[in-house]
Amino acid sequence: MQNSELRDALYENSTVRQTLDRARRADIALIGVGDVSENSNMVRMGWFTPQEIAEARLSGTVGDMMGYDFIDIHGRPSVTPMQGRVIGLNIQDLTRIPDVVAIASEHTKAVGILGALRTGVIDTLATSATNAHTIIRLDEATQRGEEVELG
């Protein structure tokens, strides 16, 4: 969605509001973790342009949760014009859900997964063994303050 005003207007729709309120009361949430790539599903679906993705990456964005809640490698929200243009739950909403399961398997998502894990809202991660090993190494390297190539 290109217009945050339209998104805000849709939030006022009673069906949208009721659906999101119901989702916020869920006992379990199954979410995706994405990478920040010009070849991502978000670009292919037309949600964001390749240029917006490139600019987000340059500003420190490493991934997204649920397709639109963008984060840096430390799990902090990214400052990007793409943030806040899509309707759905956000990271704060996930903190109130008892069991948040994140799924991401592509090898390009390891850095995004680390950022997502560092938000503190994920209870269970479903990923590949290769990603798990990469995430552990990235975590150790960034904890020691080593320079890590993110792209």
PDB file of all heavy atoms in Angstrom, residues 74-105:
ATOM      1  N   HIS A  74      19.887  -5.595  15.396  1.00  0.00           N
ATOM      2  CA  HIS A  74      19.740  -5.624  16.853  1.00  0.00           C
ATOM      3  C   HIS A  74      18.298  -5.853  17.287  1.00  0.00           C
ATOM      4  O   HIS A  74      18.012  -5.870  18.480  1.00  0.00           O
ATOM      5  CB  HIS A  74      20.283  -4.330  17.447  1.00  0.00           C
ATOM      6  CG  HIS A  74      21.694  -4.055  17.027  1.00  0.00           C
ATOM      7  ND1 HIS A  74      22.772  -4.793  17.477  1.00  0.00           N
ATOM      8  CD2 HIS A  74      22.198  -3.152  16.160  1.00  0.00           C
ATOM      9  CE1 HIS A  74      23.876  -4.347  16.917  1.00  0.00           C
ATOM     10  NE2 HIS A  74      23.561  -3.364  16.098  1.00  0.00           N
ATOM     11  N   GLY A  75      17.404  -6.019  16.319  1.00  0.00           N
ATOM     12  CA  GLY A  75      15.999  -6.259  16.633  1.00  0.00           C
ATOM     13  C   GLY A  75      15.201  -4.991  16.881  1.00  0.00           C
ATOM     14  O   GLY A  75      14.056  -5.050  17.317  1.00  0.00           O
ATOM     15  N   ARG A  76      15.785  -3.861  16.566  1.00  0.00           N
ATOM     16  CA  ARG A  76      15.085  -2.588  16.746  1.00  0.00           C
ATOM     17  C   ARG A  76      14.325  -2.237  15.469  1.00  0.00           C
ATOM     18  O   ARG A  76      14.751  -2.598  14.373  1.00  0.00           O
ATOM     19  CB  ARG A  76      16.088  -1.480  17.068  1.00  0.00           C
ATOM     20  CG  ARG A  76      16.822  -1.701  18.379  1.00  0.00           C
ATOM     21  CD  ARG A  76      17.791  -0.577  18.638  1.00  0.00           C
ATOM     22  NE  ARG A  76      18.773  -0.491  17.558  1.00  0.00           N
ATOM     23  CZ  ARG A  76      20.081  -0.508  17.726  1.00  0.00           C
ATOM     24  NH1 ARG A  76      20.600  -0.595  18.933  1.00  0.00           N
ATOM     25  NH2 ARG A  76      20.897  -0.424  16.684  1.00  0.00           N
ATOM     26  N   PRO A  77      13.219  -1.508  15.614  1.00  0.00           N
ATOM     27  CA  PRO A  77      12.484  -1.074  14.421  1.00  0.00           C
ATOM     28  C   PRO A  77      13.369  -0.217  13.531  1.00  0.00           C
ATOM     29  O   PRO A  77      14.136   0.614  14.014  1.00  0.00           O
ATOM     30  CB  PRO A  77      11.331  -0.235  14.992  1.00  0.00           C
ATOM     31  CG  PRO A  77      11.209  -0.651  16.420  1.00  0.00           C
ATOM     32  CD  PRO A  77      12.585  -1.074  16.860  1.00  0.00           C
ATOM     33  N   SER A  78      13.267  -0.439  12.249  1.00  0.00           N
ATOM     34  CA  SER A  78      14.014   0.354  11.273  1.00  0.00           C
ATOM     35  C   SER A  78      13.244   1.617  10.936  1.00  0.00           C
ATOM     36  O   SER A  78      12.017   1.614  10.900  1.00  0.00           O
ATOM     37  CB  SER A  78      14.229  -0.431   9.986  1.00  0.00           C
ATOM     38  OG  SER A  78      15.110  -1.482  10.212  1.00  0.00           O
ATOM     39  N   VAL A  79      13.970   2.657  10.665  1.00  0.00           N
ATOM     40  CA  VAL A  79      13.363   3.898  10.211  1.00  0.00           C
ATOM     41  C   VAL A  79      13.400   3.873   8.689  1.00  0.00           C
ATOM     42  O   VAL A  79      14.449   4.025   8.082  1.00  0.00           O
ATOM     43  CB  VAL A  79      14.119   5.119  10.767  1.00  0.00           C
ATOM     44  CG1 VAL A  79      13.490   6.404  10.251  1.00  0.00           C
ATOM     45  CG2 VAL A  79      14.137   5.086  12.289  1.00  0.00           C
ATOM     46  N   THR A  80      12.266   3.586   8.106  1.00  0.00           N
ATOM     47  CA  THR A  80      12.153   3.497   6.653  1.00  0.00           C
ATOM     48  C   THR A  80      10.755   3.945   6.238  1.00  0.00           C
ATOM     49  O   THR A  80       9.790   3.674   6.962  1.00  0.00           O
ATOM     50  CB  THR A  80      12.431   2.061   6.142  1.00  0.00           C
ATOM     51  OG1 THR A  80      12.109   1.996   4.755  1.00  0.00           O
ATOM     52  CG2 THR A  80      11.648   1.021   6.884  1.00  0.00           C
ATOM     53  N   PRO A  81      10.636   4.628   5.107  1.00  0.00           N
ATOM     54  CA  PRO A  81       9.309   5.035   4.637  1.00  0.00           C
ATOM     55  C   PRO A  81       8.373   3.842   4.396  1.00  0.00           C
ATOM     56  O   PRO A  81       7.164   4.018   4.349  1.00  0.00           O
ATOM     57  CB  PRO A  81       9.593   5.765   3.320  1.00  0.00           C
ATOM     58  CG  PRO A  81      11.012   6.173   3.401  1.00  0.00           C
ATOM     59  CD  PRO A  81      11.707   5.150   4.245  1.00  0.00           C
ATOM     60  N   MET A  82       8.933   2.652   4.266  1.00  0.00           N
ATOM     61  CA  MET A  82       8.089   1.466   4.040  1.00  0.00           C
ATOM     62  C   MET A  82       7.332   1.067   5.305  1.00  0.00           C
ATOM     63  O   MET A  82       6.288   0.433   5.228  1.00  0.00           O
ATOM     64  CB  MET A  82       8.943   0.286   3.578  1.00  0.00           C
ATOM     65  CG  MET A  82       9.628   0.515   2.258  1.00  0.00           C
ATOM     66  SD  MET A  82      10.553  -0.920   1.656  1.00  0.00           S
ATOM     67  CE  MET A  82      11.555  -1.382   3.036  1.00  0.00           C
ATOM     68  N   GLN A  83       7.882   1.420   6.465  1.00  0.00           N
ATOM     69  CA  GLN A  83       7.274   1.051   7.740  1.00  0.00           C
ATOM     70  C   GLN A  83       5.891   1.700   7.859  1.00  0.00           C
ATOM     71  O   GLN A  83       5.704   2.862   7.530  1.00  0.00           O
ATOM     72  CB  GLN A  83       8.174   1.533   8.886  1.00  0.00           C
ATOM     73  CG  GLN A  83       7.833   0.951  10.215  1.00  0.00           C
ATOM     74  CD  GLN A  83       8.411  -0.447  10.391  1.00  0.00           C
ATOM     75  OE1 GLN A  83       9.058  -0.997   9.514  1.00  0.00           O
ATOM     76  NE2 GLN A  83       8.164  -1.030  11.523  1.00  0.00           N
ATOM     77  N   GLY A  84       4.929   0.934   8.307  1.00  0.00           N
ATOM     78  CA  GLY A  84       3.619   1.494   8.580  1.00  0.00           C
ATOM     79  C   GLY A  84       2.701   1.677   7.402  1.00  0.00           C
ATOM     80  O   GLY A  84       1.728   2.421   7.500  1.00  0.00           O
ATOM     81  N   ARG A  85       2.962   1.019   6.296  1.00  0.00           N
ATOM     82  CA  ARG A  85       2.089   1.155   5.128  1.00  0.00           C
ATOM     83  C   ARG A  85       1.194  -0.054   4.921  1.00  0.00           C
ATOM     84  O   ARG A  85       0.364  -0.050   4.023  1.00  0.00           O
ATOM     85  CB  ARG A  85       2.919   1.389   3.859  1.00  0.00           C
ATOM     86  CG  ARG A  85       3.525   2.754   3.832  1.00  0.00           C
ATOM     87  CD  ARG A  85       4.096   3.165   2.505  1.00  0.00           C
ATOM     88  NE  ARG A  85       4.350   2.135   1.540  1.00  0.00           N
ATOM     89  CZ  ARG A  85       5.351   2.169   0.680  1.00  0.00           C
ATOM     90  NH1 ARG A  85       6.204   3.161   0.695  1.00  0.00           N
ATOM     91  NH2 ARG A  85       5.509   1.204  -0.197  1.00  0.00           N
ATOM     92  N   VAL A  86       1.357  -1.079   5.716  1.00  0.00           N
ATOM     93  CA  VAL A  86       0.603  -2.322   5.520  1.00  0.00           C
ATOM     94  C   VAL A  86      -0.269  -2.561   6.748  1.00  0.00           C
ATOM     95  O   VAL A  86       0.109  -2.249   7.875  1.00  0.00           O
ATOM     96  CB  VAL A  86       1.575  -3.503   5.286  1.00  0.00           C
ATOM     97  CG1 VAL A  86       0.815  -4.803   5.120  1.00  0.00           C
ATOM     98  CG2 VAL A  86       2.432  -3.233   4.053  1.00  0.00           C
ATOM     99  N   ILE A  87      -1.428  -3.130   6.533  1.00  0.00           N
ATOM    100  CA  ILE A  87      -2.360  -3.410   7.625  1.00  0.00           C
ATOM    101  C   ILE A  87      -2.036  -4.775   8.219  1.00  0.00           C
ATOM    102  O   ILE A  87      -1.910  -5.759   7.496  1.00  0.00           O
ATOM    103  CB  ILE A  87      -3.811  -3.393   7.111  1.00  0.00           C
ATOM    104  CG1 ILE A  87      -4.163  -1.981   6.667  1.00  0.00           C
ATOM    105  CG2 ILE A  87      -4.767  -3.887   8.179  1.00  0.00           C
ATOM    106  CD1 ILE A  87      -5.504  -1.871   6.008  1.00  0.00           C
ATOM    107  N   GLY A  88      -1.919  -4.826   9.518  1.00  0.00           N
ATOM    108  CA  GLY A  88      -1.680  -6.095  10.201  1.00  0.00           C
ATOM    109  C   GLY A  88      -1.201  -5.865  11.612  1.00  0.00           C
ATOM    110  O   GLY A  88      -1.092  -4.728  12.075  1.00  0.00           O
ATOM    111  N   LEU A  89      -0.921  -6.948  12.303  1.00  0.00           N
ATOM    112  CA  LEU A  89      -0.370  -6.852  13.645  1.00  0.00           C
ATOM    113  C   LEU A  89       1.052  -6.313  13.560  1.00  0.00           C
ATOM    114  O   LEU A  89       1.705  -6.398  12.531  1.00  0.00           O
ATOM    115  CB  LEU A  89      -0.359  -8.225  14.309  1.00  0.00           C
ATOM    116  CG  LEU A  89      -1.708  -8.920  14.495  1.00  0.00           C
ATOM    117  CD1 LEU A  89      -1.525 -10.212  15.278  1.00  0.00           C
ATOM    118  CD2 LEU A  89      -2.721  -8.025  15.165  1.00  0.00           C
ATOM    119  N   ASN A  90       1.527  -5.778  14.677  1.00  0.00           N
ATOM    120  CA  ASN A  90       2.904  -5.297  14.722  1.00  0.00           C
ATOM    121  C   ASN A  90       3.659  -6.018  15.842  1.00  0.00           C
ATOM    122  O   ASN A  90       3.094  -6.855  16.543  1.00  0.00           O
ATOM    123  CB  ASN A  90       2.948  -3.771  14.881  1.00  0.00           C
ATOM    124  CG  ASN A  90       2.253  -3.308  16.137  1.00  0.00           C
ATOM    125  OD1 ASN A  90       2.331  -3.945  17.188  1.00  0.00           O
ATOM    126  ND2 ASN A  90       1.561  -2.196  16.049  1.00  0.00           N
ATOM    127  N   ILE A  91       4.922  -5.680  15.999  1.00  0.00           N
ATOM    128  CA  ILE A  91       5.746  -6.359  16.998  1.00  0.00           C
ATOM    129  C   ILE A  91       5.161  -6.193  18.396  1.00  0.00           C
ATOM    130  O   ILE A  91       5.156  -7.134  19.188  1.00  0.00           O
ATOM    131  CB  ILE A  91       7.206  -5.862  16.918  1.00  0.00           C
ATOM    132  CG1 ILE A  91       7.839  -6.343  15.603  1.00  0.00           C
ATOM    133  CG2 ILE A  91       8.034  -6.350  18.109  1.00  0.00           C
ATOM    134  CD1 ILE A  91       9.237  -5.805  15.336  1.00  0.00           C
ATOM    135  N   GLN A  92       4.645  -5.007  18.709  1.00  0.00           N
ATOM    136  CA  GLN A  92       4.048  -4.800  20.027  1.00  0.00           C
ATOM    137  C   GLN A  92       2.850  -5.724  20.244  1.00  0.00           C
ATOM    138  O   GLN A  92       2.649  -6.239  21.346  1.00  0.00           O
ATOM    139  CB  GLN A  92       3.626  -3.336  20.218  1.00  0.00           C
ATOM    140  CG  GLN A  92       4.770  -2.363  20.332  1.00  0.00           C
ATOM    141  CD  GLN A  92       5.443  -2.072  18.985  1.00  0.00           C
ATOM    142  OE1 GLN A  92       4.832  -2.169  17.919  1.00  0.00           O
ATOM    143  NE2 GLN A  92       6.720  -1.736  19.034  1.00  0.00           N
ATOM    144  N   ASP A  93       2.060  -5.937  19.193  1.00  0.00           N
ATOM    145  CA  ASP A  93       0.931  -6.867  19.294  1.00  0.00           C
ATOM    146  C   ASP A  93       1.425  -8.280  19.596  1.00  0.00           C
ATOM    147  O   ASP A  93       0.814  -9.015  20.376  1.00  0.00           O
ATOM    148  CB  ASP A  93       0.108  -6.885  18.001  1.00  0.00           C
ATOM    149  CG  ASP A  93      -0.596  -5.573  17.730  1.00  0.00           C
ATOM    150  OD1 ASP A  93      -1.045  -4.913  18.691  1.00  0.00           O
ATOM    151  OD2 ASP A  93      -0.702  -5.210  16.539  1.00  0.00           O
ATOM    152  N   LEU A  94       2.540  -8.671  18.960  1.00  0.00           N
ATOM    153  CA  LEU A  94       3.071 -10.018  19.168  1.00  0.00           C
ATOM    154  C   LEU A  94       3.531 -10.245  20.599  1.00  0.00           C
ATOM    155  O   LEU A  94       3.497 -11.373  21.087  1.00  0.00           O
ATOM    156  CB  LEU A  94       4.230 -10.291  18.212  1.00  0.00           C
ATOM    157  CG  LEU A  94       3.880 -10.391  16.737  1.00  0.00           C
ATOM    158  CD1 LEU A  94       5.142 -10.621  15.912  1.00  0.00           C
ATOM    159  CD2 LEU A  94       2.852 -11.474  16.463  1.00  0.00           C
ATOM    160  N   THR A  95       3.960  -9.188  21.287  1.00  0.00           N
ATOM    161  CA  THR A  95       4.429  -9.366  22.669  1.00  0.00           C
ATOM    162  C   THR A  95       3.320  -9.873  23.581  1.00  0.00           C
ATOM    163  O   THR A  95       3.599 -10.485  24.603  1.00  0.00           O
ATOM    164  CB  THR A  95       5.007  -8.056  23.254  1.00  0.00           C
ATOM    165  OG1 THR A  95       3.970  -7.072  23.327  1.00  0.00           O
ATOM    166  CG2 THR A  95       6.168  -7.546  22.431  1.00  0.00           C
ATOM    167  N   ARG A  96       2.071  -9.657  23.213  1.00  0.00           N
ATOM    168  CA  ARG A  96       0.936 -10.092  24.034  1.00  0.00           C
ATOM    169  C   ARG A  96       0.435 -11.488  23.660  1.00  0.00           C
ATOM    170  O   ARG A  96      -0.461 -12.010  24.311  1.00  0.00           O
ATOM    171  CB  ARG A  96      -0.190  -9.071  23.922  1.00  0.00           C
ATOM    172  CG  ARG A  96       0.183  -7.710  24.496  1.00  0.00           C
ATOM    173  CD  ARG A  96      -0.971  -6.735  24.530  1.00  0.00           C
ATOM    174  NE  ARG A  96      -1.275  -6.041  23.288  1.00  0.00           N
ATOM    175  CZ  ARG A  96      -0.562  -5.039  22.779  1.00  0.00           C
ATOM    176  NH1 ARG A  96       0.507  -4.638  23.376  1.00  0.00           N
ATOM    177  NH2 ARG A  96      -0.938  -4.453  21.660  1.00  0.00           N
ATOM    178  N   ILE A  97       0.988 -12.073  22.619  1.00  0.00           N
ATOM    179  CA  ILE A  97       0.570 -13.414  22.194  1.00  0.00           C
ATOM    180  C   ILE A  97       1.516 -14.423  22.837  1.00  0.00           C
ATOM    181  O   ILE A  97       2.731 -14.316  22.705  1.00  0.00           O
ATOM    182  CB  ILE A  97       0.567 -13.528  20.657  1.00  0.00           C
ATOM    183  CG1 ILE A  97      -0.477 -12.544  20.082  1.00  0.00           C
ATOM    184  CG2 ILE A  97       0.280 -14.962  20.210  1.00  0.00           C
ATOM    185  CD1 ILE A  97      -0.516 -12.476  18.577  1.00  0.00           C
ATOM    186  N   PRO A  98       0.967 -15.405  23.568  1.00  0.00           N
ATOM    187  CA  PRO A  98       1.812 -16.319  24.361  1.00  0.00           C
ATOM    188  C   PRO A  98       2.819 -17.149  23.575  1.00  0.00           C
ATOM    189  O   PRO A  98       3.892 -17.449  24.086  1.00  0.00           O
ATOM    190  CB  PRO A  98       0.801 -17.235  25.054  1.00  0.00           C
ATOM    191  CG  PRO A  98      -0.494 -16.505  25.026  1.00  0.00           C
ATOM    192  CD  PRO A  98      -0.447 -15.636  23.796  1.00  0.00           C
ATOM    193  N   ASP A  99       2.508 -17.541  22.353  1.00  0.00           N
ATOM    194  CA  ASP A  99       3.409 -18.412  21.594  1.00  0.00           C
ATOM    195  C   ASP A  99       3.534 -17.895  20.166  1.00  0.00           C
ATOM    196  O   ASP A  99       2.610 -18.037  19.369  1.00  0.00           O
ATOM    197  CB  ASP A  99       2.883 -19.845  21.608  1.00  0.00           C
ATOM    198  CG  ASP A  99       3.888 -20.854  21.065  1.00  0.00           C
ATOM    199  OD1 ASP A  99       5.065 -20.485  20.862  1.00  0.00           O
ATOM    200  OD2 ASP A  99       3.488 -22.011  20.850  1.00  0.00           O
ATOM    201  N   VAL A 100       4.679 -17.300  19.856  1.00  0.00           N
ATOM    202  CA  VAL A 100       4.934 -16.769  18.518  1.00  0.00           C
ATOM    203  C   VAL A 100       5.937 -17.695  17.831  1.00  0.00           C
ATOM    204  O   VAL A 100       7.057 -17.872  18.307  1.00  0.00           O
ATOM    205  CB  VAL A 100       5.462 -15.323  18.570  1.00  0.00           C
ATOM    206  CG1 VAL A 100       5.790 -14.822  17.165  1.00  0.00           C
ATOM    207  CG2 VAL A 100       4.446 -14.406  19.252  1.00  0.00           C
ATOM    208  N   VAL A 101       5.506 -18.275  16.726  1.00  0.00           N
ATOM    209  CA  VAL A 101       6.337 -19.192  15.946  1.00  0.00           C
ATOM    210  C   VAL A 101       6.747 -18.479  14.664  1.00  0.00           C
ATOM    211  O   VAL A 101       5.895 -18.028  13.900  1.00  0.00           O
ATOM    212  CB  VAL A 101       5.557 -20.484  15.600  1.00  0.00           C
ATOM    213  CG1 VAL A 101       6.417 -21.430  14.763  1.00  0.00           C
ATOM    214  CG2 VAL A 101       5.044 -21.165  16.869  1.00  0.00           C
ATOM    215  N   ALA A 102       8.049 -18.373  14.433  1.00  0.00           N
ATOM    216  CA  ALA A 102       8.564 -17.737  13.220  1.00  0.00           C
ATOM    217  C   ALA A 102       9.093 -18.805  12.280  1.00  0.00           C
ATOM    218  O   ALA A 102       9.746 -19.758  12.708  1.00  0.00           O
ATOM    219  CB  ALA A 102       9.681 -16.756  13.572  1.00  0.00           C
ATOM    220  N   ILE A 103       8.813 -18.617  10.991  1.00  0.00           N
ATOM    221  CA  ILE A 103       9.253 -19.565   9.973  1.00  0.00           C
ATOM    222  C   ILE A 103      10.054 -18.815   8.915  1.00  0.00           C
ATOM    223  O   ILE A 103       9.619 -17.794   8.402  1.00  0.00           O
ATOM    224  CB  ILE A 103       8.052 -20.255   9.307  1.00  0.00           C
ATOM    225  CG1 ILE A 103       7.276 -21.056  10.336  1.00  0.00           C
ATOM    226  CG2 ILE A 103       8.501 -21.138   8.157  1.00  0.00           C
ATOM    227  CD1 ILE A 103       6.024 -21.688   9.801  1.00  0.00           C
ATOM    228  N   ALA A 104      11.244 -19.341   8.617  1.00  0.00           N
ATOM    229  CA  ALA A 104      12.076 -18.797   7.541  1.00  0.00           C
ATOM    230  C   ALA A 104      13.135 -19.832   7.215  1.00  0.00           C
ATOM    231  O   ALA A 104      13.862 -20.273   8.102  1.00  0.00           O
ATOM    232  CB  ALA A 104      12.729 -17.485   7.965  1.00  0.00           C
ATOM    233  N   SER A 105      13.217 -20.222   5.948  1.00  0.00           N
ATOM    234  CA  SER A 105      14.162 -21.288   5.618  1.00  0.00           C
ATOM    235  C   SER A 105      15.244 -20.890   4.624  1.00  0.00           C
ATOM    236  O   SER A 105      16.301 -21.503   4.600  1.00  0.00           O
ATOM    237  CB  SER A 105      13.404 -22.498   5.068  1.00  0.00           C
ATOM    238  OG  SER A 105      12.715 -22.143   3.886  1.00  0.00           O
TER     239      SER A 105
END
